[in-house]
Amino acid sequence: MLSASNVDAGYGHVRVLENVSIDVRQGRIVVLVGRNGAGKSTLLRALSGLNRPTSGKVTFDGSDITTAPPNAIVKAGLLHVAEGRRLFRRQSVADNIELGRYGLRLTEQDHHWRVECIHQLFPILREKMELPAGSLSGGQQQMLAIAQAMMREPKLLMLDEPSLGLAPVLVDQVLAAILTLRAQRVAILLVEQMVERALEIADDAYVMQNGRVITSGPAAEIAAGAALHAAFMGEHGAPHHSEARQGRP
Ligand SMILES: Nc1ncnc2c1ncn2[C@@H]1O[C@H](COP(=O)(O)OP(=O)(O)O)[C@@H](O)[C@H]1O
Ligand SMILES: [Mg+2]
């Protein structure tokens, strides 16, 4: 469904990604892990057209999207929920969900059905529809950010650190929602600092270090392998549990 081959990307003259290749097949959860600064967010931005690759090729659902503008990529069904929930905090939950379908024409019935699907995925949002988004907890805001993307019925959803700053029970809910989406045949590309938890729910995994993919394979194999540990060992020898920003408020 999504295939990136030999992608380079960066900021100005600074090259961040070097020769990155990844594949996400339909209905699979693929997790991308690596320490802070490894280039995970840069890769998602390269795939969603926010930061165009300087070389390499990206195809999605049979089309070359390497140089496609972000709106065309969204239209093709590749949605990116960026790090740090970008919501309209003063607007209601309902309005924020509406904003998710900006520019999209839906029949009354389709619209109703999509909102209903969102409510089934995140029942708490049904109860909070009229409240300002800014009044939601961090976890609920993350759910709302995902809900916004769901209004477009993505074929592939890229999530950048959805568990960041969430209480454990909410992390469970977000991960459970990701599993539900997979059951609905939505492919997921997940960037996650909660490495062990993410590897438990993922089908495939890629480990990034210094802008490169250092290893990839079935998530269970990656979880058991040595490369994962190596990727989280810094120059200062920091073990990965201090790297992972688990439980950060
Ligand atoms: N807007 C930016 N301008 C310049 N450099 C950036 C920018 N965003 C990220 N970087 C750099 O790119 C590298 C990869 O960052 P990022 O993709 O955010 O890593 P990750 O998501 O894995 O933590 C880092 O060295 C970071 O400092
Ligand atoms: Mg990041």
Side-chain angles (χ1 to χ4, degrees), residues 37-229:
K40 306 178 298 295
S41 297
T42 303
L43 176 57
L44 296 197
R45 285 199 286 270
L47 299 173
S48 60
L50 299 173
N51 194 344
R52 201 168 271 186
T54 49
S55 70
K57 187 175 175 184
V58 184
T59 61
F60 177 67
D61 204 19
S63 306
D64 187 336
I65 58 161
T66 317
T67 59
N71 62 330
I73 293 173
V74 165
K75 213 168 167 189
L78 176 52
L79 273 277
H80 179 184
V81 179
E83 213 172 346
R85 315 172 273 273
R86 289 180 198 148
L87 300 169
F88 294 88
R89 299 175 55 83
R90 290 173 171 205
Q91 309 259 49
S92 69
V93 168
D95 286 347
N96 273 275
I97 289 174
E98 280 313 297
L99 285 161
R101 50 150 245 189
Y102 177 78
L104 197 66
R105 283 199 192 160
L106 293 177
T107 64
E108 186 86 2
Q109 202 175 16
D110 265 351
H111 178 260
H112 179 80
W113 173 244
R114 289 187 191 191
V115 173
E116 186 55 36
C117 286
I118 286 166
H119 286 163
Q120 278 176 19
L121 192 61
F122 301 120
I124 189 72
L125 295 183
R126 191 197 297 273
E127 292 167 31
K128 309 234 166 189
M129 287 296 268
E130 302 313 320
L131 298 179
S135 72
L136 301 183
S137 73
Q140 292 162 358
Q141 288 185 27
Q142 185 60 53
M143 291 171 192
L144 181 52
I146 296 172
Q148 263 185 343
M150 293 313 295
M151 279 306 273
R152 307 193 91 90
E153 292 196 331
K155 294 178 184 139
L156 194 156
L157 189 59
M158 302 197 290
L159 301 171
D160 200 346
E161 302 204 17
S163 77
L164 191 63
L166 303 192
V169 60
L170 286 164
V171 174
D172 291 344
Q173 285 179 28
V174 170
L175 295 180
I178 291 171
L179 288 168
T180 304
L181 293 174
R182 177 178 64 184
Q184 295 169 4
R185 308 294 295 151
V186 180
I188 308 280
L189 179 55
L190 172 67
V191 169
E192 196 38 80
Q193 288 289 336
M194 291 204 156
V195 175
E196 280 141 36
R197 300 294 310 281
L199 287 169
E200 276 168 26
I201 67 157
D203 300 299
D204 307 299
Y206 289 82
V207 183
M208 285 186 74
Q209 189 174 31
N210 297 328
R212 292 173 215 207
V213 171
I214 58 163
T215 188
S216 64
E221 280 176 27
I222 297 296
L228 182 66
H229 186 68

